[in-house]
Amino acid sequence: MIYKYLDNLEALKIELSSIRRGGRAGHERPHKLIMLLDLFEDDLLGDNRIYLDDNLISRFKQHFSRYKAKDDLCQPAPPFFHLRSSSFWHHKILPGKEEEYKKTSTTGGGRKRIDELIEYSYLSEQMYQIMINQALRHELRQYLQLLLEQPEIRQ
């Protein structure tokens, strides 16, 4: 069964290496990759619902302190929101908020807009199947850490 997802894993690695990360003076911000790195905690992704809650924010802060540059700000809400530009990250919009969500282009740095518009995020079926497979999840985690530690490997 693992072979079924190897092509998806390689495609996902390519997408992760080319994800838009923002930055300044040659430094790419680590926020989106750190948000994804947080998903590797076993108890966080059980039912493919990712909530921007105190648990996720606490884990984000721990990883962020390791990978930040001196001018990076610890803001977990923007990557939670802006990962929607990736093929594998989706939002469950609160009922009646669909039009407002479509018009929203930023969180403003905080989580207020997210709390008003988004119930949770979830992964595409392909990414979720990779994440629930321990061996594939381990390989993907190592790859994310490599991207954070050695940004020059980007494709």
Side-chain angles (χ1 to χ4, degrees):
M1 172 143 172
I2 193 170
Y3 299 109
K4 179 179 178 182
Y5 298 105
L6 289 177
D7 287 341
N8 289 336
L9 178 64
E10 292 308 311
L12 183 57
K13 285 180 177 180
I14 291 169
E15 183 171 357
L16 290 173
S17 70
S18 61
I19 204 165
R20 287 187 56 207
R21 294 174 45 195
R24 188 171 74 160
H27 166 67
E28 290 185 299
R29 304 281 185 215
H31 297 73
K32 286 182 181 176
L33 297 182
I34 290 171
M35 180 61 60
L36 295 171
L37 194 59
D38 289 333
L39 302 182
F40 290 90
E41 305 297 335
D42 289 331
D43 62 332
L44 196 60
L45 193 60
D47 61 356
N48 197 12
R49 293 182 182 196
I50 306 153
Y51 295 93
L52 186 61
D53 58 13
D54 292 340
N55 187 23
L56 182 64
I57 291 169
S58 175
R59 291 174 184 196
F60 182 91
K61 288 178 180 179
Q62 289 174 347
H63 289 294
F64 187 80
S65 66
R66 178 176 178 194
Y67 294 110
K68 70 176 181 157
K70 60 183 175 184
D71 68 337
D72 288 333
L73 298 175
C74 186
Q75 296 179 320
F80 185 90
F81 180 77
H82 291 291
L83 273 166
R84 72 182 184 171
S85 65
S86 302
S87 69
F88 54 83
W89 187 270
H90 308 284
H91 292 137
K92 169 70 169 89
I93 311 306
L94 289 168
K97 298 292 186 170
E98 296 84 2
E99 287 304 313
E100 187 178 348
Y101 173 81
K102 288 178 189 177
K103 295 176 186 175
T104 303
S105 62
T106 183
T107 64
R111 66 184 269 195
K112 182 177 185 240
R113 287 187 190 152
I114 290 172
D115 291 342
E116 293 171 350
L117 301 173
I118 301 169
E119 185 176 346
Y120 58 84
S121 290
Y122 61 96
L123 302 175
S124 67
E125 185 60 28
Q126 294 85 0
M127 173 108 170
Y128 183 66
Q129 291 303 318
I130 288 169
M131 294 297 287
I132 62 174
N133 179 292
Q134 187 175 14
L136 295 177
R137 186 173 68 232
H138 178 72
E139 184 175 340
L140 191 57
R141 180 187 182 102
Q142 288 183 313
Y143 186 72
L144 276 171
Q145 289 172 319
L146 188 63
L147 286 173
L148 284 161
E149 293 166 2
Q150 300 176 20
E152 67 276 4
I153 68 163
R154 285 179 50 118
Q155 297 177 352

